[in-house]
Amino acid sequence: MESIITQPACPSVSCPHRSICYQTLSEWRVRRGQYQRPDVTVSDRLDIAQRYYEPDRPWGEVVGLAREYELSRTAIYDITKQAVVLFEPRLPGPAPCVKRLLPCETISQPVAKEKTNTREEAERQRNRLILTSVFPGGVTMRPLEEILKEAPVEDWSDISIWRFVNESGTKAYPILTQVNYANVSLPLILVDIDETFFDGYPVLFVVEPLSLSICGFHVPRDGDRSSNTWAPFLLTLQEDQHLDIYAGVGDAAKPYPGTLQAILERDDRFQEDIFHQLRDLETLQHKLENGAYRAFAAEYKTGAQWHKESAIDDAHRSAQLQEKLGQAKMESLRWAELHDDLVEYASWVADAFEIVDLRSGEIRSRETNEWLLDEAIAKMAQLDHPDVVKMSERLHKHKKYLLCYLDWLETQLFPLQAELHAYLHEPELEKVLLQAVGRKWRLQHEIQSMQRRAFRPSLRQAEQELATWIEGDTFLEQWSTKVYTLLEWVQRASSAVENINSIFKPLVTRKKHFDNSDTLLHFVALFVLWHNMRVFKEGKRKDHSPFEILGIDLGEKDWRTLLGYLPVQ
């Protein structure tokens, strides 16, 4: 058997590990299937494997084994493959590794003894295990109780576990509410604001979209989510934690515009989320499409009935069916035209929300996009469908807050254009450079955000064109980087806070219930601390945490250590 592991062969009668080999192969019989030839014993199989794996195996040995044991050559090969199980991890269970037991005339490696932790280390290990299981594991208290029973730590009841989680949340809350945002790495701070609901309480979130940091959170005790709650909450972030908010992005909730206007003392600092408008337009398109399909189905049904009864010599009945068929054709045509028109006008709306033109790379102005949006609204208002008319009225009503991002972009872009003009004094060249940067950004956005990989060749071409213009010129290289960063900064949708909601909701839903708003607030605080300090594993933020991207240093990178639960060495 030693020849299998390329060591000197030893007689089977003197092998000190013979019983172990027998036991292992017997276990293989249970694990991998019963022997088809019970007359070939375990000893025979070991002998076959030993002679087969002999380094100096004579020619024709396999044929000789087949004759000796009255087996086929295929069976010999199968038996030798079965012997490989002696060197594989055993399934299942924590049995010792066979490799350490088999070598003959050698001393097996002793199993290393597990280090016995002190009581303090065991407590820290238990605490870190609980926190890691809750975030990001999402494990609830009763399953976590079962996990602790299997771990080499003191097991707790679900009540004790939840008491510890709530206590950790009370530690996380003051840490987060004392974070100073005065020296963040971003020159201008846009925030996405939104609320989500759980157990009858609204949970308010304020998210910085570039870093995906949750800068603020709040759980109103009275459940109020009006401007009476939002305004003090944002004012506290601004005054106490020095979060210098330039503007905010949110959905169409009524409190947002008035709240930001009161806090920032400007009426143009709220951008309404465009995603909800485009999503509802797409839903309306599907509704009209289904209506058109139903109209065509009715037309085909009427046509089939007319063809079936046309052979009957009944002029009056034939005239009725023909008239009905004509009406069905007109109705199906009306639905088809209605759907096609809405698809066209919806594309105008989507184009009116763009920042950079895809073909030319020209950065859009509010005048251009507002004109295009007005044209789409006017055309939709003329369509013969109440839902389409209602959608046009909605777009007209919210138009004031749908294009604010273009005003912000123009304000921040003007000094950069002035710098470029002072450097080049060539208006046409300045326009070409601005469009080159814009087109690169737009194509990058299509590939990364919209997952349209077909634009990759166009992006490579755009990058080469921009490099041709700015290569070797330090000023132009820095200027193009500033413009690209500015385009990244502009936000049209509250996707970042929706992303946070999608992470938070599954974790909190498993809890099912909270005793009061304070326990929910502490749970949210624990979630926020974990999220802001977790390191992203992929994407454009890879290998960085939200706080790290934002420039916030709490003196410790591990959120559990920050709470006082040091790792066990």
Side-chain angles (χ1 to χ4, degrees):
M1 196 56 200
E2 289 299 311
S3 58
I4 300 178
I5 54 176
T6 65
Q7 292 190 13
C10 61
S12 60
V13 294
S14 61
C15 178
H17 300 288
R18 179 184 180 88
S19 60
I20 296 174
C21 295
Y22 274 39
Q23 179 184 359
T24 303
L25 283 184
S26 299
E27 290 178 0
W28 180 90
R29 181 182 179 186
V30 177
R31 288 187 288 154
R32 301 285 182 89
Q34 303 294 325
Y35 294 147
Q36 295 182 2
R37 287 287 301 273
D39 57 305
V40 182
T41 64
V42 174
S43 179
D44 296 336
R45 294 170 186 272
L46 289 174
D47 180 60
I48 292 172
Q50 176 187 357
R51 291 163 63 181
Y52 178 84
Y53 286 110
E54 181 69 36
D56 299 327
R57 185 182 71 194
W59 185 85
E61 182 69 12
V62 175
V63 177
L65 287 170
R67 291 174 180 173
E68 180 180 347
Y69 289 101
E70 297 182 355
L71 296 169
S72 65
R73 295 180 63 183
T74 304
I76 296 295
Y77 293 134
D78 289 342
I79 291 172
T80 56
K81 290 178 182 179
Q82 292 165 6
V84 178
V85 77
L86 299 174
F87 306 96
E88 294 178 352
R90 305 203 298 180
L91 302 174
C97 179
V98 178
K99 291 181 181 180
R100 189 169 58 249
L101 302 175
L102 282 180
C104 302
E105 300 179 0
T106 59
I107 301 175
S108 61
Q109 295 286 338
V111 180
K113 296 184 179 179
E114 294 185 1
K115 179 182 177 181
T116 303
N117 294 332
T118 64
R119 180 179 180 84
E120 181 184 355
E121 291 175 338
E123 289 179 356
R124 293 208 313 267
Q125 186 175 359
R126 176 199 62 209
N127 296 341
R128 290 177 66 89
L129 178 61
I130 292 173
L131 293 177
T132 306
S133 300
V134 176
F135 299 113
V139 181
T140 53
M141 302 307 110
R142 291 191 183 278
L144 188 50
E145 181 182 358
E146 299 298 323
I147 293 175
L148 290 179
K149 290 180 180 179
E150 299 297 327
V153 295
E154 179 185 355
D155 58 314
W156 274 7
S157 67
D158 60 319
I159 298 177
S160 301
I161 295 171
W162 170 241
R163 189 180 295 116
F164 168 75
V165 172
N166 189 54
E167 179 185 348
S168 300
T170 61
K171 295 180 180 179
Y173 183 77
I175 293 175
L176 293 167
T177 54
Q178 293 174 15
V179 172
N180 189 348
Y181 295 101
N183 298 318
V184 297
S185 58
L186 302 178
L188 294 172
I189 297 178
L190 285 176
V191 293
D192 290 357
I193 57 178
D194 194 16
E195 68 263 351
T196 188
F197 296 88
F198 183 76
D199 201 19
Y201 294 102
V203 181
L204 314 184
F205 283 123
V206 176
V207 179
E208 196 288 309
L210 294 183
S211 64
L212 215 61
S213 298
I214 305 175
C215 299
F217 60 96
H218 182 53
V219 179
R221 292 186 177 182
D222 56 359
D224 180 62
R225 54 190 180 92
S226 66
S227 57
N228 295 329
T229 299
W230 271 105
F233 170 43
L234 292 177
L235 187 62
T236 301
L237 281 176
Q238 190 179 44
E239 297 296 333
D240 295 350
Q241 296 189 248
H242 309 289
L243 184 65
D244 188 12
I245 302 175
Y246 178 83
V249 185
D251 56 24
K254 293 182 179 180
Y256 297 160
T259 299
L260 288 171
Q261 180 179 355
I263 296 299
L264 304 178
E265 300 179 350
R266 294 283 298 271
D267 60 354
D268 60 346
R269 294 300 173 86
F270 173 70
Q271 164 66 36
E272 185 174 320
D273 181 88
I274 66 169
F275 167 77
H276 291 82
Q277 308 292 342
L278 296 176
R279 180 199 62 184
D280 293 343
L281 267 174
E282 185 177 359
T283 302
L284 186 54
Q285 291 178 39
H286 289 312
K287 183 177 181 178
L288 297 186
E289 183 180 22
N290 292 334
Y293 283 140
R294 287 193 295 269
F296 279 116
E299 177 189 347
Y300 295 151
K301 182 178 180 180
T302 305
Q305 187 179 3
W306 180 72
H307 283 294
K308 181 179 179 181
E309 298 186 12
S310 61
I312 302 176
D313 190 12
D314 189 344
H316 180 67
R317 176 62 178 169
S318 178
Q320 285 182 333
L321 289 174
Q322 191 169 7
E323 181 181 358
K324 186 177 179 180
L325 178 59
Q327 293 176 352
K329 287 182 177 181
M330 292 177 60
E331 183 67 9
S332 61
L333 180 61
R334 184 184 75 85
W335 275 99
E337 291 178 348
L338 182 63
H339 170 265
D340 292 345
D341 290 341
L342 180 63
V343 170
E344 176 66 21
Y345 303 147
S347 68
W348 295 4
V349 174
D351 196 24
F353 290 150
E354 291 297 343
I355 300 176
V356 175
D357 186 77
L358 181 60
R359 293 182 178 273
S360 65
E362 179 183 0
I363 297 178
R364 297 284 186 84
S365 64
R366 185 184 180 101
E367 291 75 15
T368 301
N369 284 21
E370 190 170 4
W371 167 81
L372 186 57
L373 183 59
D374 287 337
E375 288 294 314
I377 292 173
K379 292 292 186 181
M380 289 169 60
Q382 298 174 5
L383 296 182
D384 184 19
H385 194 281
D387 290 342
V388 179
V389 175
K390 185 177 180 180
M391 187 68 196
S392 68
E393 294 173 351
R394 171 181 166 183
L395 289 171
H396 178 73
K397 179 181 178 181
H398 293 264
K399 184 182 66 172
K400 176 183 178 182
Y401 300 113
L402 288 173
L403 300 175
C404 289
Y405 66 93
L406 293 171
D407 296 333
W408 307 341
L409 178 60
E410 184 179 3
T411 301
Q412 301 301 320
L413 187 60
F414 181 77
L416 292 176
Q417 290 176 306
E419 290 180 10
L420 184 63
H421 181 69
Y423 181 75
L424 292 179
H425 298 286
E426 291 288 343
E428 292 298 324
L429 180 58
E430 297 165 16
K431 182 178 179 181
V432 170
L433 285 172
L434 187 60
Q435 290 180 353
V437 178
R439 189 162 187 269
K440 175 189 173 183
W441 175 86
R442 175 64 191 277
L443 291 170
Q444 191 79 42
H445 173 74
E446 292 292 327
I447 294 172
Q448 291 184 349
S449 300
M450 308 303 292
Q451 299 297 316
R452 295 172 179 170
R453 300 181 179 180
F455 285 103
R456 287 179 176 177
S458 300
L459 176 61
R460 287 193 292 268
Q461 181 180 358
E463 291 174 339
Q464 292 173 359
E465 291 177 358
L466 179 60
T468 302
W469 288 109
I470 67 175
E471 188 175 6
D473 193 314
T474 305
F475 175 84
L476 293 181
E477 289 177 352
Q478 295 177 351
W479 180 86
S480 63
T481 301
K482 292 179 181 178
V483 174
Y484 189 92
T485 303
L486 177 60
L487 293 173
E488 283 285 293
W489 169 80
V490 176
Q491 301 294 321
R492 301 169 296 165
S494 56
S495 305
V497 71
E498 297 291 349
N499 186 357
I500 296 300
N501 286 340
S502 68
I503 300 172
F504 173 71
K505 257 311 182 51
L507 295 174
V508 74
T509 301
R510 297 187 181 100
K511 266 297 296 170
K512 298 183 180 179
H513 175 70
F514 288 95
D515 293 335
N516 51 58
S517 61
D518 289 337
T519 55
L520 175 57
L521 179 63
H522 297 153
F523 188 85
V524 175
L526 206 58
F527 162 77
V528 172
L529 184 64
W530 160 74
H531 169 79
N532 285 343
M533 301 187 70
R534 70 186 179 104
V535 177
F536 293 105
K537 302 300 182 182
E538 57 185 3
K540 60 183 180 182
R541 304 178 182 88
K542 183 179 180 181
D543 297 330
H544 299 283
S545 68
F547 265 0
E548 184 180 357
I549 298 172
L550 197 58
I552 301 298
D553 185 8
L554 299 181
E556 177 58 53
K557 293 186 177 181
D558 182 73
W559 67 285
R560 296 157 300 186
T561 303
L562 191 64
L563 291 174
Y565 311 119
L566 303 177
V568 179
Q569 300 297 330

